[in-house]
Amino acid sequence: MVSLVLVSHSRQLAEGLADLVRQVAGDVPVAAVGGTPDGRLGTDATAIAEAINEVYSDDGVLVLMDLGSSVMAAETALELLTPDRAANVHLCGAPLVEGAVAAGVEARVGGDLARVRAAAESALNHPKF
C-alpha cells in the first residue's frame, strides 16, 4: 500500500491531519512530521527523511507539504535517502488537507503511487463553494 508523509510547519497540525486521514481512509500508513526539534514552528529535513523511512513501502511514498520552505526541506530529505528509496518517493503540490484525505482514500482502495498522487492533486480542482 502507498504510504503518506504529511509535512507541516506545525507538529500539531500534521498530527491532527494524520488522525483525520486515518479516520476517513482507515488503516493507511501515514506519518506526521512538523515543527523544529525544539518545538517551534518550522520544518526539519532530517525528521522528514526519518518519517519517510518509518512508513516506507515498495509501493511508494507520497509526501504532502504545507508552505514553501517545507517543500525545500522535503527536497533536502530526499537527498538524505538512499537512491533506490528516493526514486520511490514523490513530492506532491496538492492542498495539504484536501489532498491528504483524497490520497489516503485512494491508497486505502489499492491505488498505485500515480493514482494516489493524482487523487491528491485532483483536490486542486474542487472549490469549497
Side-chain angles (χ1 to χ4, degrees):
M1 179 183 300
V2 174
S3 301
L4 306 178
V5 174
L6 310 177
V7 179
S8 174
H9 282 70
S10 166
R11 178 170 291 132
Q12 293 88 348
L13 191 149
E15 290 173 353
L17 179 55
D19 286 341
L20 176 65
V21 170
R22 288 183 197 105
Q23 287 184 38
V24 172
D27 190 23
V28 175
V30 58
V33 59
T36 62
D38 62 359
R40 293 178 295 129
L41 293 177
T43 55
D44 178 337
T46 302
I48 296 168
E50 290 170 357
I52 292 168
N53 281 321
E54 174 187 320
V55 297
Y56 183 82
S57 164
D58 287 337
D59 292 330
V61 179
L62 189 69
V63 181
L64 294 103
M65 302 132 302
D66 63 358
L67 303 171
S69 63
S70 63
V71 175
M72 291 183 291
E75 290 170 338
T76 301
L78 291 180
E79 296 172 8
L80 301 174
L81 301 174
T82 61
D84 60 315
R85 283 206 170 186
N88 208 21
V89 176
H90 290 192
L91 305 183
C92 182
L96 182 61
V97 175
E98 296 89 340
V101 171
V105 170
E106 183 62 35
R108 182 69 175 116
V109 299
D112 63 12
L113 185 55
R115 289 180 60 98
V116 172
R117 182 177 183 164
E121 291 173 343
S122 75
L124 291 166
N125 301 318
H126 298 288
K128 293 181 184 178
F129 56 92

